[in-house]
Amino acid sequence: MDVFGKLSNYDFGEVHFRLDKATQLKAIVAIHDSRMGPALGGCRFIEYDTDEAAYIDALRLARGMTYKAALAGLAHGGGKSVIIRPKSRFDRVALFRAFGRFIEDLRGHYITAEDSGTGLEDMEIIRTMTKHVTGIDPSHGGSGDPSPFTALGVRRGIEACVKFKLGKPDLKGVHVAVQGVGHVGYYLCKELHGAGAKITVADIDPHKSERARREFGAAIVAIDDVPKVECDVFAPCALGAGINDVTVPFLQAPIVAGAANNQLAEPRHGNDLHSRGILYAPDYAINAGGLVNVAQEVRGYDAAAARAQTLKIYDTIYDICERSKRLNAPTYKVADMMVEEKLSAVARK
Ligand code: NAD
């Protein structure tokens, strides 16, 4: 594997590896950029076919965190950790304690949090070994579930898009189709319902769609139909790559704005949306509320301050919309440019 070539491709940075045979820990901490402050980002714990796949995943995700944190105006750089899930039986407590020691050895240069495959219980185990961990239990001064904050930021982002594209000052009567009503999608429906929006949902889990119908009066459509709903806003809140060759031609909404990470299957789909006149809220700009919330935890958790900062996502999204119009450039490129401007103003450490 071309280790340094890959680092160069992703414009890194530094990477740390730890093998602990006794617990089967195989972990990678990727610190993409720490110009803005200590790197902050979640710990992914999933199976990988190869070590190389885990390494690339860590690099890709860490780079994304630099962009998300910088655009949200946080004093943090981007990092991510990946633990390769053992294929044989393992002791979860021992493994996450070993991971905690690894994080402690990095002395706060990287701060970890939850991600796919990890949860609050794992953060609590890590906490026994290091203080450089967020997303811990509120009873221990942690910030708890980030999803309500992510949803709040997405609602604010949708409001900015609706104002910019449709000239409406609020969401009363605005029709939003939400794809995926899991953690964030559920709270987003709650926010939208509170703001007087009309909601349509789709989820592969019928119980989740049904809950949205019961609690927020949402209409339910089939999974394949949700991108085709005639509505004002399509809100992808399920998995990534929802904006792709199949869905782009069918989109009816003038706005795409949702919580999912990596919504564009490829960057060219962002160009397609732009040429079709569909306003796209860049994913890492609109879904930063959860990160804002855990970043607050680093300084001693203050929910009101986290909320106030999350509300500012409106301004960021509106700014992106204005620049995109002025430059006639796709919004995802504008967001990247805004981050690169911010980063280049600060010298690398
Ligand atoms: P989740 O797993 O709780 O919810 C995802 C939901 O999507 C589930 O209910 C699932 O059944 C449904 N789903 C899966 N495939 C679907 C499909 N094809 N069509 C319709 N529904 C489908 O996850 P989450 O925490 O709510 O995160 C949702 C998205 O937002 C992810 O992309 C995540 O990376 C991103 N995100 C989450 C947070 C957060 O605070 N949780 C923060 C930033 C970004």
Side-chain angles (χ1 to χ4, degrees):
M1 178 174 46
D2 179 11
V3 174
F4 286 100
K6 296 270 187 298
L7 283 183
S8 174
N9 288 348
Y10 286 94
D11 196 24
F12 261 71
E14 61 191 270
V15 180
H16 302 261
F17 295 88
R18 173 74 49 104
L19 172 70
D20 183 65
K21 276 191 181 163
T23 61
Q24 300 189 59
L25 176 78
K26 276 184 174 178
I28 304 168
V29 171
I31 299 176
H32 176 259
D33 193 301
S34 46
R35 269 176 277 190
M36 297 297 187
L40 176 61
C43 169
R44 186 161 281 199
F45 183 53
I46 57 175
E47 284 189 13
Y48 288 93
D49 289 338
T50 61
D51 293 353
E52 183 172 357
Y55 172 66
I56 303 288
D57 211 22
L59 298 188
R60 185 179 63 79
L61 294 166
R63 184 174 187 275
M65 294 309 293
T66 296
Y67 278 66
K68 192 184 282 202
L71 198 58
L74 301 177
H76 284 285
K80 205 86 178 184
S81 50
V82 161
I83 305 177
I84 300 172
R85 193 182 168 96
K87 294 200 167 77
S88 53
R89 278 173 67 90
F90 63 96
D91 177 341
R92 191 161 184 132
V93 173
L95 186 133
F96 276 93
R97 281 174 67 84
F99 179 69
R101 276 193 295 277
F102 180 22
I103 300 304
E104 176 62 14
D105 289 344
L106 297 173
R107 296 164 188 232
H109 198 35
Y110 163 72
I111 302 161
T112 198
E114 291 173 28
D115 197 75
S116 306
T118 57
L120 193 121
E121 298 78 19
D122 303 313
M123 299 305 119
E124 287 292 321
I125 299 166
I126 295 168
R127 194 175 76 91
T128 61
M129 307 307 294
T130 182
K131 65 177 196 295
H132 306 300
V133 52
T134 59
I136 57 174
D137 198 289
S139 63
H140 294 137
S143 60
D145 179 7
S147 310
F149 283 85
T150 304
L152 171 66
V154 174
R155 192 255 291 167
R156 292 293 287 156
I158 290 175
E159 284 170 349
C161 292
V162 163
K163 170 81 179 141
F164 186 84
K165 186 83 180 166
L166 310 178
K168 294 189 179 175
D170 56 42
L171 298 184
K172 280 196 195 78
V174 169
H175 184 186
V176 185
V178 183
Q179 181 185 44
V181 275
H183 286 96
V184 183
Y186 170 79
Y187 285 111
L188 176 62
C189 288
K190 193 172 187 175
E191 292 280 342
L192 295 171
H193 182 63
K198 181 181 165 198
I199 308 168
T200 296
V201 300
D203 198 295
I204 48 171
D205 180 344
H207 298 291
K208 292 185 179 162
S209 317
E210 183 51 34
R211 182 173 62 164
R213 188 193 63 73
R214 210 173 47 243
E215 294 188 26
F216 312 120
I220 300 173
V221 293
I223 294 166
D224 290 344
D225 291 339
V226 69
K228 304 175 194 163
V229 172
E230 282 197 27
C231 59
D232 300 300
V233 182
F234 173 53
C237 296
L239 307 175
I243 306 298
N244 53 46
D245 287 336
V246 176
T247 55
V248 169
F250 291 106
L251 286 171
Q252 301 297 318
I255 296 166
V256 173
N261 276 314
N262 306 316
Q263 288 174 36
L264 304 175
E266 292 174 41
R268 66 184 169 84
H269 296 110
N271 303 343
D272 293 345
L273 292 181
H274 183 68
S275 20
R276 280 201 53 199
I278 298 173
L279 176 60
Y280 166 63
D283 43 17
Y284 68 82
I286 193 169
N287 72 13
L291 181 65
V292 166
N293 195 46
V294 292
Q296 267 295 324
E297 193 177 328
V298 176
R299 279 148 203 91
Y301 187 56
D302 176 349
R307 188 180 165 82
Q309 196 166 2
T310 301
L311 293 177
K312 291 185 188 158
I313 287 176
Y314 181 103
D315 302 322
T316 306
I317 296 293
Y318 204 86
D319 192 9
I320 292 170
C321 296
E322 282 185 322
R323 289 186 196 220
S324 163
K325 188 172 180 184
R326 202 164 57 238
L327 301 170
N328 189 21
T331 49
Y332 80 93
K333 280 193 183 162
V334 169
D336 285 358
M337 267 161 38
M338 286 165 68
V339 170
E340 280 146 22
E341 270 169 28
K342 278 188 184 209
L343 291 177
S344 59
V346 184
R348 265 200 201 269
K349 285 180 188 153

